[in-house]
Structures are given as structure tokens and as C-alpha cells.
Amino acid sequence: MQTHAGRRRRASIAVLVTLAAGVLAVAARSAEGVPPAATVAAGPPSGCAVKPTVVLVHGAWADTSSWSEEVSRLQREGYPVRAVANPLRGLTGDAADVADFLKTLSGPVVLVGHSYGGSVITNAAAGDPHVKALVYVDAAAPAVGETTAQLSGATSALGAAPDTLYDVVPFSAARIGDADLYLKQKVFLQSFGPDLPAPAAQRLWASQRPAAKSAFTTPSTAAAWKTIPSWYVIGSADRIITPQSQTFMAQRAKAHVRTVPGGSHLTLISHPGPVTDQILAAARATCG
């Protein structure tokens, strides 16, 4: 018959055996260079420690509302985002205004430009260490000395006679020879945004922001894409800046390219999904 003392001795021995096994396991793990489970450090958090601010710059005959779908999704993804007003008064001044806006921000920036806005970001980002990526959306990406007009492409609809393209309106404080250009209705509907539903295209034409002639004729003084990683969205049916011209600019910038089949010059409105995907790709790349 077992005594109470005997049972206690056997229980004590079992505890000692368990403790010894634990000590041996810890020693074995230490010998292999593996810390005990309780002391394993947690891995780095997923995603960016500091998400970049995405700054969106619209082009000619458009405004900040062009980016509405991109803004909504970027905000859902947790990115700070700003769509800034592009004055459309001339490349030098427009780029300076955007550069001044960038100085009000802190942390890394992804700078996005549509159409003529591509020329603006190419100049505004020059020398700014906070701009970590450039994204061109159906945009011009000029080299030093090039104008936006020179980059439309040989078959661009903008190569037609100016009086068939624009309604010309003077504006105060314009330099001699300068004026505001509004796209004529037919050009807007058939060449600028032909992949949009007709009622939407009509509304956009009626509410377009004009651009000064000098916006297209002022030579670029910088080429930020030479030193800042770049991404490109090319609408395969763009009739304003041709896909061939955009491909040339993207290749010399060594940009990451995404083509939108059937996309017009307004892919940011007609195809916001792939446009935002490309912006997010640039933003995530800033995390290294």
C-alpha cells in the first residue's frame, strides 16, 4: 500500500524531470543561436512606417475634381493626399507655385501629374529631397529645353489649325501674345475624353479650366525624372499626347509603365482603378 510520503516523493521527482527537460531544451536552442520562444522579438510592422503624402497636379482644361476617384481610394488606403490647383498660367510660374506648396508638407512625397501637369511636376520636384517618386498620367515629361507642345506627338489632335481647336480669350496681366485657350466642344468630346459617357463629357467641357498659351510654349528648365524614380500611365487611345510620344518619354525616364487599353487622355476619370494602382505602386516603393 502506497504511503502519502511516497506519493509526494514521486511527484517531486516528476517536477524535477520536467524542469530539467525545459532547461535542456533552452540550452539546445541557445546552442543553435535561437532565443527562447518568450524572448523572440516581433518582426517589423507591415507597410510604411511613414506613408508618403500623395500630391496630385491636374493638367490643362481640367481641375482638382478630375482626381476625385483617386483621392477617395488613396484615403481609404490610409495615405495623406492633396489635389492642388494648377494655375495654368505658364510653366515657370506654375511649377514655382507647386514647389511652394510642397514646402508646406513634411515627410516623403509622391508627386503625380496629369497631361500638362507632368511638365509642372518635372520642374517643381527638381532639387526637392522630399519628393521620392514621380507619376505621369497621360502626361508630358520634358527634358531641359523642351516645351509641352513639342511632346504631343506627330499624330496628336492638337496638331490641327489652332482656330479649329481653341476659343481664344484674353486675360488680365497677360504678356503680349498670350491668351487663355479653351478647347472647342468637338475637340473635347472627340479627342480629349472620347471614352467618357457623353453627358459626363459635356459637363466637363462646359466647366473646363482654360490654359494660357505660355503653358505649352515655355521651355522646361529641369528634368526631375533623371534623378527621381518614375511611374507612367499611358492610355492606349490618347489623342492629345500620343501613346508613341508617351512611350518615348517613359523609356528615357526609365519609368515603370502601365498601359490602359482604350484609355483616352482622361484615364484618370474614365479608368481611375489602374491609375490609382500605379500611384499606389509608386507610394509603396518609397517604403523601400
Side-chain angles (χ1 to χ4, degrees):
M1 185 175 180
Q2 290 184 345
T3 66
H4 182 65
R7 287 195 297 272
R8 284 193 302 173
R9 280 196 299 273
R10 281 193 294 275
S12 298
I13 291 170
V15 170
L16 289 172
V17 169
T18 301
L19 290 172
V23 170
L24 290 173
V26 170
R29 289 168 63 84
S30 298
E32 295 172 359
V34 180
T39 64
V40 174
S46 60
C48 293
V50 178
K51 287 188 175 181
T53 299
V54 179
V55 177
L56 306 165
V57 181
H58 66 82
W61 309 304
D63 60 23
T64 56
S65 67
S66 304
W67 298 109
S68 294
E69 292 298 322
E70 286 81 0
V71 168
S72 295
R73 184 170 162 205
L74 288 166
Q75 289 179 334
R76 290 197 303 271
E77 295 277 352
Y79 285 89
V81 56
R82 299 293 300 273
V84 299
N86 184 354
L88 305 178
R89 279 291 178 261
L91 181 56
T92 303
D94 294 345
D97 285 355
V98 172
D100 286 342
F101 178 83
L102 296 177
K103 292 173 185 175
T104 69
L105 305 175
S106 60
V109 170
V110 173
L111 191 54
V112 186
H114 168 244
S115 188
Y116 162 72
S119 294
V120 173
I121 69 170
T122 297
N123 286 263
D128 189 333
H130 297 292
V131 179
K132 303 300 183 182
L134 300 171
V135 184
Y136 293 90
V137 180
D138 297 310
V144 174
E146 290 178 340
T147 68
T148 303
Q150 290 173 328
L151 298 171
S152 294
T155 60
S156 169
L158 299 184
D163 61 347
T164 68
L165 296 172
Y166 309 115
D167 294 319
V168 181
V169 179
F171 64 91
S172 62
R175 295 189 179 94
I176 296 174
D178 209 359
D180 268 341
L181 303 178
Y182 289 83
L183 276 184
K184 289 183 177 292
Q185 184 176 19
K186 182 178 179 179
V187 178
F188 196 104
L189 300 181
Q190 296 184 359
S191 297
F192 198 66
D195 61 344
L196 294 173
Q202 290 277 5
R203 287 193 299 271
L204 291 172
W205 167 76
S207 59
Q208 67 180 285
R209 285 271 312 280
K213 289 181 182 179
S214 56
F216 307 109
T217 58
T218 303
S220 179
T221 59
W225 47 261
K226 286 190 174 183
T227 56
I228 301 174
S230 301
W231 280 254
Y232 230 106
V233 178
I234 300 174
S236 70
D238 194 333
R239 300 174 188 172
I240 299 299
I241 303 179
T242 65
Q244 294 79 12
S245 181
Q246 291 184 59
T247 298
F248 161 73
M249 291 183 282
Q251 288 177 344
R252 73 178 178 183
K254 298 179 174 59
H256 307 270
V257 176
R258 177 159 188 164
T259 300
V260 179
S264 71
H265 193 61
L266 288 178
T267 55
L268 75 170
I269 299 174
S270 60
H271 296 80
V275 171
T276 311
D277 287 344
Q278 194 73 320
I279 295 171
L280 285 169
R284 289 163 183 158
T286 69
C287 298

